[in-house]
Amino acid sequence: MTRGDLVFSLHAAVNIGVPQNTLLVQTLVRVCQEKLNQLDNRCISVLATTLAGLDKDKNITSGTAHSKYQRHLYTAKPDEMPGKRCSSLSEKEIRENVHDAPFRQLILILEGCYNLQYRNVKLFSALADYVSSTACLWDKRQVVLFLSAFETLSFQPSELMGTFAEKVTEDPEFLNLKNLLIVLRVYSRLNYVPRNQKHLLAILFVPLSAFCVGTTHPQGKLAMKKRHLNKLGYHVILIYQWMTQIQKNNSELVTQHYLGKTIENRTMYYLQILQNYKSDPKISRFLQNLDLYILPVLNIDGYIYSWEKDRLWRKNRSSHMNGTCYGTDLNRNFNSSWGSIGVSYNCSSEIFCGSGPESEPETRAVAQLIERKKSDILCYLTIHSYGQYILTPYGSTTKPPSNSEELMHVAKQAAAALMGKHGTSYEVGSTSSILYSNSGSSRDWAHMIGIPFSYTFELRDKGTHGFVLPPDQIQPTCEETMLAVTTIIDYVDQKYFPDGAVTLTSGSLGLSLCLSIALTWTVS
């Protein structure tokens, strides 16, 4: 028998009153169940009508088939369905048995209602009330999916949204940026403000291209995101505006400087800044002799692209081969044994070193700044991920630098200070000896032009999570890394200014720091 014959035979048998516990009906139901994914629209419609007429409680097999049909029904597209009348087939049954339905089944039901443009407030309310009353049993990310599904149906599950908002404000770090943005979208579009909300702050990193030309007014997606956040009661801080505000509030200590333009014409700024000088005596002492130059993000274009298009994109966005491939690895583009080892000349490669040393505007901007000040610069730090290493020069050769012993001594002190905070173990050594060989790195370049102390930090972890570090590890990573950084700075300060003497020509500490987008929920 063909699949159609099976379905119509079952339909005929049920219609003429053949008992459903007979071998005939049992067999036809079971075979139809096995062939369910192979049935066409007409057969699905006939089978739906037939199964609706069976008494599920008296027949386990037919109940199973009915359940499988529901899953098929709720994942179907509108143009695949024989008629919307089928969508209400089991609405009452679902409401009465919602406690027995697994997470995936409930999500499929909501998705199916959206696909079929089927709106049933009783059904939606039953599902929302069930999830809300059992919120402690659900993973928070599962609740995010429920909220997103309800938002697509334009249904506001007020009690569930209130319950979830309380959980988020108690423990905001469990959500990654993607889920946080989903939550913001849902609460904004459904026009729901959490009960008892307090002071909430949202910090966004954005390039100047996100603003209207010549102004600080956000445009496009940024403007929409900011409206959503404001509607929810958040005070929004945009990072470039934050940099400007820091400079204004601390004009005696902080200055903002133009560095250059990226390949996509985004402006790069760096801060000459020190944050905790009043509360930390060690940092206060540093300020007598050392200036800090902080570049929050060097690869701005690639960083933005990693959030909008390809999450793990690492190169910049320069175009090659008439636009057939994009991007240069900036940490293989500096003029330090450029192109000699550990690189690729294929522009599609993740480690493409560019068309020549300093071929990229981002690389040139940093190199030109440091070249102008190199007679004063004592230390260069660049922070990457991942692996838990403190790397010394060189990556392009196994021949150690002239001050190798001192570099290793200071790096081991830094690793020990880092471990003392949270017990995280970092390996110390030259790049070529403990990691891999590569040329064109900024670390090697800085040391080759005469900067005595030059290190690369490869932050957590060792590969379990790789580049996608869980949010709950970000803060402790910052805390322990700060101890390692200040250990290195302290050594430099003690060596060159042993008596705390202030000289007319101060040393400068070049810090290249890679920071992430910060979106925080703060309750005070």
Side-chain angles (χ1 to χ4, degrees):
M1 298 176 67
T2 66
R3 292 183 292 274
D5 291 337
L6 290 169
V7 172
F8 284 99
S9 296
L10 174 62
H11 179 67
V14 171
N15 276 353
I16 64 175
V18 177
Q20 67 183 61
N21 59 354
T22 60
L23 180 60
L24 173 62
V25 174
Q26 289 277 316
T27 302
L28 289 173
V29 168
R30 186 181 71 254
V31 176
C32 287
Q33 174 183 336
E34 294 171 352
K35 305 291 185 181
L36 185 60
N37 293 330
Q38 303 173 25
L39 300 179
D40 59 20
N41 293 341
R42 185 183 180 198
C43 290
I44 285 288
S45 179
V46 173
L47 181 60
T49 304
T50 305
L51 292 181
L54 295 180
D55 186 351
K56 178 181 174 182
D57 294 337
K58 293 181 180 180
N59 192 296
I60 296 176
T61 304
S62 66
T64 304
H66 195 185
S67 176
K68 286 185 177 293
Y69 166 73
Q70 289 178 35
R71 286 195 287 272
H72 184 90
L73 171 68
Y74 290 119
T75 55
K77 300 293 187 296
D79 57 358
E80 297 175 347
M81 297 306 302
K84 292 183 181 179
R85 63 183 181 84
C86 297
S87 60
S88 61
L89 172 68
S90 302
E91 176 265 324
K92 184 174 183 294
E93 182 181 4
I94 293 172
R95 287 194 289 111
E96 292 175 349
N97 298 281
V98 64
H99 293 81
D100 298 324
F103 166 76
R104 183 58 182 162
Q105 181 78 15
L106 297 180
I107 289 293
L108 287 175
I109 290 171
L110 294 176
E111 290 177 352
C113 290
Y114 173 76
N115 288 334
L116 297 171
Q117 300 179 6
Y118 174 71
R119 185 172 182 80
N120 188 314
V121 175
K122 288 184 179 180
L123 174 62
F124 299 163
S125 298
L127 296 180
D129 291 345
Y130 166 60
V131 177
S132 179
S133 64
T134 56
C136 60
L137 304 177
W138 301 96
D139 182 277
K140 296 185 183 71
R141 290 170 181 81
Q142 291 177 318
V143 181
V144 170
L145 291 178
F146 277 121
L147 292 176
S148 183
F150 282 123
E151 182 261 327
T152 61
L153 293 165
S154 300
F155 175 77
Q156 185 193 87
S158 300
E159 185 175 349
L160 176 60
M161 296 176 77
T163 301
F164 183 71
E166 293 175 3
K167 290 184 175 296
V168 168
T169 53
E170 291 171 1
D171 178 25
E173 295 184 357
F174 75 91
L175 288 175
N176 58 26
L177 179 63
K178 176 182 178 181
N179 286 334
L180 281 172
L181 293 177
I182 291 174
V183 171
L184 293 175
R185 186 197 71 215
V186 170
Y187 280 65
S188 176
R189 290 184 179 176
L190 293 181
N191 196 29
Y192 182 87
V193 178
R195 301 184 298 270
N196 302 320
Q197 71 166 7
K198 299 185 179 180
H199 303 291
L200 300 173
L201 172 67
I203 304 176
L204 304 177
F205 177 91
V206 292
L208 284 184
S209 59
F211 299 94
C212 298
V213 177
T215 74
T216 58
H217 301 296
Q219 61 178 341
K221 292 181 180 179
L222 176 62
M224 181 177 68
K225 187 180 297 183
K226 186 177 180 183
R227 283 198 298 272
H228 286 332
L229 290 165
N230 287 335
K231 194 170 184 179
L232 291 169
Y234 285 82
H235 175 60
V236 179
I237 296 178
L238 306 175
I239 289 295
Y240 274 133
Q241 291 178 340
W242 170 81
M243 293 173 74
T244 302
Q245 194 62 45
I246 287 290
Q247 191 273 327
K248 289 181 179 179
N249 294 344
N250 303 275
S251 57
E252 76 284 5
L253 285 172
V254 180
T255 52
Q256 183 178 1
H257 303 273
Y258 171 84
L259 180 62
K261 293 281 190 178
T262 70
I263 194 69
E264 294 183 342
N265 204 38
R266 293 186 172 97
T267 305
M268 303 162 64
Y269 290 107
Y270 67 92
L271 291 178
Q272 185 176 343
I273 183 174
L274 200 51
Q275 184 177 357
N276 299 319
Y277 77 103
K278 292 180 179 178
S279 59
D280 191 323
K282 181 185 291 186
I283 294 180
S284 181
R285 177 168 52 82
F286 295 161
L287 261 191
Q288 297 179 49
N289 310 300
L290 302 174
D291 293 330
L292 275 74
Y293 293 89
I294 299 178
L295 175 62
V297 177
L298 170 59
N299 185 14
I300 296 174
D301 297 341
Y303 181 72
I304 293 173
Y305 188 80
S306 75
W307 284 98
E308 294 181 346
K309 301 292 184 180
D310 184 344
R311 186 63 191 92
L312 296 181
W313 184 265
R314 60 177 281 160
K315 301 187 289 181
N316 76 345
R317 292 295 298 162
S318 56
S319 175
H320 305 281
M321 301 288 289
N322 295 321
T324 59
C325 60
Y326 288 85
T328 294
D329 184 344
L330 298 180
N331 203 41
R332 284 168 172 76
N333 189 240
F334 284 82
N335 193 13
S336 55
S337 302
W338 177 87
S340 61
I341 192 171
V343 301
S344 173
Y345 294 103
N346 180 353
C347 60
S348 297
S349 171
E350 289 287 290
I351 55 173
F352 175 56
C353 59
S355 58
E358 298 180 13
S359 62
E360 308 307 302
E362 297 91 344
T363 309
R364 287 196 302 274
V366 171
Q368 290 169 6
L369 170 67
I370 295 177
E371 284 280 5
R372 290 196 305 269
K373 299 177 177 292
K374 68 178 181 181
S375 61
D376 287 338
I377 297 179
L378 301 173
C379 182
Y380 176 84
L381 305 179
T382 178
I383 299 182
H384 300 215
S385 68
Y386 61 93
Q388 295 177 200
Y389 298 102
I390 299 180
L391 301 173
T392 66
Y394 294 110
S396 57
T397 177
T398 56
K399 182 180 179 180
S402 58
N403 64 337
S404 177
E405 290 187 6
E406 186 177 28
L407 283 169
M408 287 293 295
H409 171 68
V410 176
K412 288 178 179 178
Q413 286 186 341
L418 186 153
M419 178 181 282
K421 183 65 176 180
H422 296 295
T424 309
S425 175
Y426 272 54
E427 189 174 355
V428 174
S430 69
T431 307
S432 58
S433 63
I434 67 171
L435 188 55
Y436 50 66
S437 296
N438 75 318
S439 57
S441 72
S442 63
R443 173 204 58 250
D444 287 3
W445 173 81
H447 193 273
M448 286 178 177
I449 66 170
I451 297 174
F453 295 91
S454 182
Y455 298 99
T456 295
F457 281 72
E458 296 284 353
L459 303 181
R460 297 190 192 185
D461 58 10
K462 290 190 173 183
T464 301
H465 300 287
F467 293 112
V468 189
L469 194 69
D472 61 2
Q473 291 194 41
I474 294 176
Q475 182 63 29
T477 299
C478 292
E479 293 169 356
E480 63 193 15
T481 304
M482 185 62 180
L483 289 176
V485 168
T486 54
T487 297
I488 295 174
I489 298 174
D490 189 39
Y491 182 90
V492 172
D493 184 57
Q494 294 283 3
K495 177 177 181 177
Y496 291 93
F497 309 99
D499 301 321
V502 179
T503 60
L504 292 178
T505 304
S506 67
S508 299
L509 178 67
L511 282 179
S512 176
L513 298 180
C514 300
L515 302 180
S516 298
I517 287 180
L519 179 56
T520 59
W521 300 50
T522 304
V523 180
S524 58

